[in-house]
Amino acid sequence: MAKHDLDPNYLDPNYEPVVNHSENTPFHQVLAARMQRRTVMKGTVGAALASVMGLGLAGCGGDSDSSSTTNTSDTPDVDVANTELGFKAVPVSTANEIKVPEGYTSQAFLPWGTPITGSYPAYKLDGTNTGADQEQQMGMHHDGVHFFPIDLKAGGNSSTEGLLVMNHEYINQGALHANGATYNSNGNRPTDEVRKEIAAHGVSVVHIKQDSNGTWDIVFGSPFNRRITGGTEMEIRGPARGYHKLFTKFSPNGNRTRGTLNNCAMGPTPWGTYLAAEENWHGYFKTSAAERPREQVRHGVDGTSRYDWELAENQADAYVRFDVTPGEGSATDDYRNEANTFGYMVEIDPFTPESAPQKRTALGRFGHEGVIFAPAKEGQPVVCYSGDDSRFEYIYKFVSSKPYYAATAGGYLLDEGTLYVARFNEDGTGEWLPLDLNDADFAAKVAQAVTDGAVGGIPFDGFENQADVLVNTRLAADIAGATTMDRPEWGAVDPNSGEVYFTLTNNSNRGKEGYDGVNAANPIVENRTGHIIRWAEAGNDHTATSFEWDIFVFAGEQGTETVVDDEVIVSLTDDNIFNSPDGLWFDYNGRLWIQTDGSDAAPYQNNMMLAANPETREIKRFFVGPVGCEVTGVTGTPDMKTMFVNIQHPDGNWPDSSDPRPRDATVIVTRDDGGVVGA
């Protein structure tokens, strides 16, 4: 999702190697000629989907569902008529500052290094804060974020006090340390540097409150203020708990692990907890093994690690665990399985600071970008969606086995259920394919793969059990026959219609020789600018196993068109050109907010956030970030009079021009007249 400053390969946003060679391209012949013609039309991509299918989807859900829906207490009732965009679009910008519409004010808040807990160690301009300091300060590279009203558990929806919870995806070593990352004469890294880097990852929980003048600040000394880091002890939950492929020296029974890493997007649960996604975790581990198990091959764990944490001078288990090379003994004597304890959604209860985070393995193991829940219905299963943020990977849905009851709901609902992967058909329909050994069709496909002896070039001799399926979710999805996507990232569910939206950020390899060709849902050859897809579940029932889909908008330069039934529905102008859609969020009134992580080059310039009316597809640029940043993570107070937007990896000395180090930060956006943001 985010840029990286170490390896040239990381110039592709948050580089992850293409490791899907399953050739799941059932439609790649269908649109090739059409798209080859369209790609030479400067500034126009057009919705090949709609041209082929004649689908409009305007209200793609069909009849509304009459069953009752329970709002979480921090999700106020919505008004379908209240999705208009009542602001003047902001121009593109190259300035090293935040740009918001006329009548709005922005303010940087909680930058990296801000003390939030413990002894509240002050941030030092020269980079000499210690690892212990960093464990008590805001982490680096702010990402997914959510505001929990302080009275949420009591059924309230305060907009003046709450817990702001956010992810810290990765780090800038040059800014984090006084002299960047260093090594001693033996090639080892100073232990405290490694400790500091691990501490700068993870999640921050910050108790904040607005004073009578409307100014937000930390509630210092609050028991809720908390840092979860790459070293925090966590519980393994769900089907993979106790599975032998998770056995390590630290947890010989496979029930625990340490830390959460590369946390990108997130998802608030209907019961008031926070799920942090583990996205590109593979790069933190290395192996010297001549033969790697499929759990490592399919994710790209190889002979190098991103930060060399395994080379810490103090060869304690807390650091050597990032080398997953098998030793001479058993799995409980080393850390060969450590990487198998990453790649999950991690549940954190912000209102119970003494609780251990829970890794929910039933939601699958892959490069989770985040998770988005459908509205919870009393007495019905819980449903959530997640994208695997890598080129040619998939979109997943989880449906719980147990029903939701507001009075007793909790994380246990995420431990039992069915994980599905999406297949997008050429005609605008889609299917959810169960990754369940008890499903006859899936079991038959697994048996055929065993007969074939390999899946996408990876040797395959079957799955031991359902835990094995979930630890190898990508491989299972390959076998099921899912549709390869152009980097599925954030998702969002329209609170008014129930339609599900996902960003497909980009895929410059689509259609190149040796890679998958186009398909109906991903119809652009060498897709460098991305698009947003949406679907409606059959009968407006999120547990359904079929759906109808269309493409909401194609990103691109001026004149890029999205066409439905030969009618131009969207034609991008100076007010709304954008590329590489990434972050996605529906506010409590039903406006769709789109964040970008793309090129800083003309005509797009600095990355931005736009607002969209899902009913009319009107799109306007609302916010532009500083130089070199990614605009990622957005939330608001229940009354939508305060918006929180995260800025990640700015290039310059933002937000403080007197500070020589760039600092990721949250930006508070408010209307000068105190009104609803975006209205």
Side-chain angles (χ1 to χ4, degrees), residues 167-210:
N167 294 342
H168 302 291
E169 186 180 8
Y170 70 110
I171 59 173
N172 175 347
Q173 290 175 302
L176 185 63
H177 306 298
N179 300 296
T182 62
Y183 296 78
N184 66 18
S185 58
N186 295 322
N188 292 109
R189 301 220 33 225
T191 299
D192 197 61
E193 282 188 13
V194 174
R195 178 181 178 182
K196 187 176 183 182
E197 291 175 12
I198 292 173
H201 286 72
V203 176
S204 289
V205 181
V206 193
H207 188 176
I208 62 174
K209 187 174 183 179
Q210 192 177 41

Side-chain angles (χ1 to χ4, degrees), residues 16 65 101 105 122 181 195 208 299 319 342 389 447 450 464 480 496 517 531 543 577 591 600 625 641 658:
E16 179 164 342
D65 186 358
T105 298
R195 178 181 178 182
I208 62 174
H299 283 279
Y319 309 120
F342 288 79
D389 179 14
V450 172
E464 293 179 333
N496 295 319
H531 54 291
T543 68
I577 57 170
R591 292 182 189 84
D600 294 336
K641 293 183 177 180
S658 65

Side-chain angles (χ1 to χ4, degrees), residues 392-460:
F392 305 110
E393 293 298 344
Y394 308 120
I395 294 174
Y396 298 85
K397 176 170 80 170
F398 173 81
V399 180
S400 69
S401 296
K402 295 179 179 178
Y404 169 87
Y405 294 102
T408 58
Y412 68 89
L413 290 168
L414 302 180
D415 286 342
E416 297 178 21
T418 302
L419 185 66
Y420 297 87
V421 66
R423 180 163 65 202
F424 292 82
N425 297 324
E426 174 193 340
D427 62 356
T429 64
E431 303 165 67
W432 289 108
L433 309 174
L435 305 180
D436 184 348
L437 290 173
N438 291 319
D439 179 83
D441 288 342
F442 180 65
K445 292 175 181 177
V446 171
Q448 182 60 53
V450 172
T451 299
D452 295 340
V455 178
I458 299 175
F460 182 72

Side-chain angles (χ1 to χ4, degrees), residues 464-630:
E464 293 179 333
N465 50 35
Q466 191 61 26
D468 199 12
V469 170
L470 294 166
V471 171
N472 289 279
T473 303
R474 283 181 170 177
L475 203 63
D478 296 340
I479 293 170
T483 301
T484 61
M485 308 297 285
D486 287 348
R487 287 186 61 201
E489 299 216 31
W490 294 53
V493 177
D494 188 329
N496 295 319
S497 71
E499 294 165 2
V500 186
Y501 290 64
F502 259 78
T503 53
L504 301 174
T505 296
N506 54 47
N507 185 354
S508 59
N509 286 337
R510 175 71 70 178
K512 283 185 177 179
E513 184 177 356
Y515 293 95
D516 285 4
V518 296
N519 58 50
N522 305 269
I524 305 174
V525 174
E526 297 184 25
N527 182 7
R528 298 181 184 278
T529 53
H531 54 291
I532 298 174
I533 197 168
R534 67 175 178 178
W535 64 87
E537 301 282 13
N540 201 24
D541 177 2
H542 289 94
T543 68
T545 56
S546 63
F547 56 91
E548 292 184 354
W549 62 274
D550 80 349
I551 291 176
F552 179 67
V553 66
F554 285 97
E557 61 186 17
Q558 292 92 337
T560 296
E561 296 176 344
T562 303
V563 181
V564 176
D565 289 339
D566 296 324
E567 179 184 356
V568 177
I569 300 300
V570 181
S571 181
L572 299 183
T573 70
D574 291 346
D575 286 346
N576 56 18
I577 57 170
F578 68 103
N579 76 108
S580 298
D582 191 334
L584 202 64
W585 180 62
F586 273 104
D587 69 25
Y588 303 128
N589 297 307
R591 292 182 189 84
L592 179 64
W593 298 88
I594 304 165
Q595 300 177 309
T596 72
D597 179 23
S599 168
D600 294 336
Y604 312 104
Q605 309 300 356
N606 295 359
N607 278 294
M608 63 189 70
M609 181 172 71
L610 308 96
N613 184 330
E615 300 298 319
T616 65
R617 303 199 210 204
E618 178 187 18
I619 301 172
K620 291 183 182 180
R621 188 179 304 103
F622 177 83
F623 178 108
V624 182
V627 172
C629 81
E630 170 188 349

